[in-house]
Amino acid sequence: MSPLKIKKGSTSHSAYDLRPSYSDTVERHTLAVLVENEPGVLARVIGLFAGRGYNIESLTVAEVDHQGHRSRITIVTTGTPQIIIQIKAQLGRIIDVHKVNDLTVEGPSVERELGLFKVAGKGEHRVEALRLADIFRANVVDSTLESFVFEITGTPEKIDAFADLMRPLGLQEVARTGVAALSRGAV
């Protein structure tokens, strides 16, 4: 027994257990940030990420309350659990930020993205592009004799899969909106 009458290793809070309890695994998180719709707010939020070397995988911004002049910024980012905690804390300190929600940890959520794909091709490639678009429930929003423009909505993984299949068929251009997300159920 030690002089403090504590058996060595008898507690998980032992002074000998100095290993950090955080994980080193990189996680993907979707953050919903409610902000004032004022000039410079988006720049301050993005500056927080750029200044600390955090990556933004997806960013969408839109005014959600005309009367209250509020906008919603949806950010998809990656980092270790410590980094995500730090990002949320630092976002909450920005003056024009009203609320920060981590949709990844707060329960079930719905994520959607819109993609536009220009696919050029002739003959069998055209037919195959239309078949795949039908399978993915993509809409043809423009058609010429040389190309199609498809519109597809779904999860980012669905959009990625559609792009991968369209590449060998003549994918020319892609435009994506970024993730829009809401938590499921009651507020």
Side-chain angles (χ1 to χ4, degrees):
M1 205 169 265
S2 70
L4 296 175
K5 298 186 184 352
I6 299 174
K7 290 183 185 176
K8 186 174 179 181
S10 65
T11 176
S12 63
H13 302 292
S14 170
Y16 298 102
D17 187 17
L18 300 176
R19 287 170 282 150
S21 61
Y22 293 113
S23 169
D24 289 336
T25 59
V26 175
E27 301 172 346
R28 179 181 176 271
H29 283 253
T30 303
L31 306 176
V33 185
L34 190 63
V35 300
E36 285 292 324
N37 188 12
E38 299 291 333
V41 175
L42 180 60
R44 284 192 289 282
V45 169
I46 301 313
L48 180 147
F49 281 80
R52 288 161 182 83
Y54 304 147
N55 186 43
I56 296 175
E57 290 187 1
S58 174
L59 174 74
T60 57
V61 184
E63 187 174 48
V64 293
D65 180 4
H66 297 294
Q67 299 293 329
H69 301 289
R70 302 245 169 110
S71 290
R72 179 184 175 105
I73 303 173
T74 304
I75 302 168
V76 177
T77 188
T78 56
T80 62
Q82 308 95 296
I83 297 290
I84 300 299
I85 289 168
Q86 189 176 26
I87 289 171
K88 292 188 292 188
Q90 290 170 349
L91 281 171
R93 287 188 203 112
I94 296 174
I95 292 172
D96 295 319
V97 171
H98 293 280
K99 191 175 183 182
V100 178
N101 289 10
D102 186 346
L103 298 177
T104 305
V105 297
E106 291 179 6
S109 62
V110 177
E111 290 186 1
R112 290 293 181 266
E113 185 173 359
L114 174 95
L116 295 174
F117 294 84
K118 184 188 287 183
V119 180
K122 294 186 179 189
E124 190 57 36
H125 281 202
R126 248 174 111 76
V127 173
E128 184 62 19
L130 284 171
R131 261 191 239 127
L132 286 171
D134 187 46
I135 291 168
F136 278 83
R137 296 186 179 148
N139 298 317
V140 177
V141 293
D142 185 57
S143 178
T144 67
L145 295 175
E146 296 85 28
S147 68
F148 290 113
V149 175
F150 296 107
E151 171 193 71
I152 184 169
T153 305
T155 64
E157 294 80 16
K158 178 181 177 182
I159 306 291
D160 290 340
F162 187 72
D164 291 342
L165 291 171
M166 287 296 169
R167 264 187 202 91
L169 300 176
L171 182 62
Q172 300 293 308
E173 236 180 302
V174 178
R176 294 174 74 159
T177 60
V179 173
L182 287 175
S183 59
R184 294 184 64 205
V187 179

